[in-house]
Amino acid sequence: HVQLVESGGGSVQAGGSLRLSCAASGYTYSSYCMGWFRQAPGKEREGVAAIDSDGSTSYADSVKGRFTISQDSAKNILYLQMHSLNPEDTAMYYCAAAAAGVVWYGPLVSKSYNHWGQGTQVTVS
């Protein structure tokens, strides 16, 4: 049973930074592609960043240069370091995992992922 638990969200002023964490259990990171998604009220869920099993990363254009995805495979923790936050970054942020063998639509496409956390809220004012 795969379980993903996000933490690290909160309220921050524009220009500030936050680091999100996603603690995973029930599988090993090396077999999965992991991603961060976000959803603002009234908007569709969008892919923010992803990292695959060989460490290759993908980022949405809106966060390139500001966000960094990383993972601690030994601890099974996924991170999203966010800098230069602005109000447009306000959203619920979700951690997601894609098992090897799933139908693949791309690293920043939500239907590529079959495991999701409950989310952590990020508010930028």
Side-chain angles (χ1 to χ4, degrees):
H1 174 65
V2 177
Q3 186 174 17
L4 304 173
V5 179
E6 301 96 334
S7 62
S11 296
V12 63
Q13 291 188 338
S17 300
L18 282 174
R19 189 177 77 160
L20 306 183
S21 300
C22 173
S25 61
Y27 70 97
T28 59
Y29 269 109
S30 61
S31 300
Y32 283 70
C33 182
M34 303 292 298
W36 286 99
F37 288 76
R38 66 186 181 186
Q39 188 166 18
K43 295 186 177 181
E44 293 186 356
R45 188 170 298 189
E46 64 170 341
V48 174
I51 185 167
D52 66 18
S53 57
D54 68 3
S56 298
T57 57
S58 302
Y59 294 94
D61 288 343
S62 60
V63 307
K64 282 180 181 177
R66 301 189 298 122
F67 291 11
T68 302
I69 188 171
S70 62
Q71 63 187 32
D72 184 332
S73 299
K75 297 181 179 179
N76 272 4
I77 300 177
L78 181 73
Y79 299 102
L80 184 68
Q81 179 67 56
M82 305 185 293
H83 294 298
S84 302
L85 286 162
N86 58 62
E88 291 70 38
D89 296 316
T90 295
M92 185 72 77
Y93 283 71
Y94 298 91
C95 172
V102 298
V103 177
W104 192 242
Y105 297 93
L108 299 180
V109 179
S110 60
K111 59 183 178 179
S112 294
Y113 294 80
N114 53 346
H115 300 286
W116 294 85
Q118 293 300 306
T120 185
Q121 178 68 37
V122 171
T123 303
V124 185
S125 59

